[in-house]
Amino acid sequence: AQSVTQLDSQVPVFEEAPVELRCNYSSSVSVYLFWYVQYPNQGLQLLLKYLSGSTLVKGINGFEAEFNKSQTSFHLRKPSVHISDTAEYFCAVKSGSGGSNYKLTFGKGTLLTVNP
Amino acid sequence: GAVVSQHPSRVICKSGTSVKIECRSLDFQATTMFWYRQFPKQSLMLMATSNEGSKATYEQGVEKDKFLINHASLTLSTLTVTSAHPEDSSFYICSANPTSGFYNEQFFGPGTRLTVL
């Protein structure tokens, strides 16, 4: 079984400050990792994903994440946040082989609030 | 590319009525679609996996007769909430898994807000 832990339910930061949203996963097999962002009353938008290769993954809106297999982590970072980054962020994991029929397991989410 | 739409975006209904929500992949074919439910300030809970041409697979604790899922084509899946009650009020989100190409990604619809009075 796979699981995802997002260690912080809320992260308040000031505009232009750096931010890190933490995500740890557990899985007994190889994993694919994702970060999604959800704005109020909207669906999920993919920020970035790790499938294989380089452990540092760059995504949209200036976000990046690093896959750390030994620490089973996939923390999301941005060097300088904007007010518009205020949203809920979800880390998700899918383990096993590829294929069209699989399930994502989501963390509980981290509410990032960027204050002026 | 890889756009998923949901209709309606918002629905208000009376207790006891049935509501149908459509999920469409607009520019790709999806053998598999997923239905999630999200309560306020909570994560997404997978309700069921919908496979084109076959019966949906429901997660433990999800009532099959309450939440009817039909995946009639490679671009359309529907979720019908039968005899809806106030406790069914929630945000329902679908996602679709492309048949080819980005088979390791799920693309999400914008969600449907259901309010049962």
Side-chain angles (χ1 to χ4, degrees), chain A residues 41-74:
Chain A
N41 295 310
Q42 294 187 29
L44 272 67
Q45 180 181 6
L46 180 67
L47 275 178
L48 47 79
K49 61 189 176 188
Y50 171 78
L51 302 181
S52 65
S54 173
T55 57
L56 182 62
V57 180
K58 293 190 182 298
I60 63 171
N61 301 341
F63 284 94
E64 64 179 33
E66 185 155 19
F67 170 58
N68 188 319
K69 188 175 181 179
S70 62
Q71 296 187 5
T72 61
S73 67
F74 191 55

Side-chain angles (χ1 to χ4, degrees), chain B residues 46-106:
Chain B
L46 180 65
M47 298 174 65
T49 303
S50 166
N51 290 295
E52 187 265 338
S54 63
K55 290 185 179 180
T57 302
Y58 290 82
E59 295 300 298
Q60 191 172 9
V62 178
E63 300 175 60
K64 322 180 164 185
D65 298 330
K66 174 81 171 169
F67 299 100
L68 300 179
I69 291 172
N70 183 15
H71 194 153
S73 76
L74 288 173
T75 59
L76 173 63
S77 176
T78 60
L79 168 68
T80 301
V81 183
T82 62
S83 187
H85 291 287
E87 58 266 27
D88 299 323
S89 298
S90 191
F91 194 50
Y92 292 87
I93 303 176
C94 74
S95 70
N97 203 172
T99 303
S100 62
F102 296 102
Y103 59 87
N104 272 321
E105 280 195 47
Q106 285 186 27

Side-chain angles (χ1 to χ4, degrees), chain A residues 20-37:
Chain A
E20 178 179 83
L21 306 184
R22 296 180 293 169
C23 173
N24 286 87
Y25 68 91
S26 67
S27 174
S28 58
V29 295
S30 60
V31 294
Y32 302 97
L33 295 155
F34 306 82
W35 274 99
Y36 289 90
V37 60

Side-chain angles (χ1 to χ4, degrees), chain A residues 32 34 36 38 41-46 49 51 88 90 94 97-104 106-109 111, chain B residues 10 31-32 34 36 38 42-44 46 49 51 59 91 93 97-99 102-106 108-111 113:
Chain A
Y32 302 97
F34 306 82
Y36 289 90
Q38 184 180 35
N41 295 310
Q42 294 187 29
L44 272 67
Q45 180 181 6
L46 180 67
K49 61 189 176 188
L51 302 181
E88 189 85 29
F90 293 98
K94 176 258 173 182
S97 59
S100 64
N101 191 2
Y102 70 93
K103 299 178 188 178
L104 281 175
F106 284 90
K108 292 189 174 182
L111 177 61
Chain B
R10 185 181 295 268
T31 306
T32 305
F34 302 86
Y36 296 85
Q38 186 180 32
Q42 293 190 28
S43 188
L44 280 72
L46 180 65
T49 303
N51 290 295
E59 295 300 298
F91 194 50
I93 303 176
N97 203 172
T99 303
F102 296 102
Y103 59 87
N104 272 321
E105 280 195 47
Q106 285 186 27
F108 287 81
R113 173 76 59 193

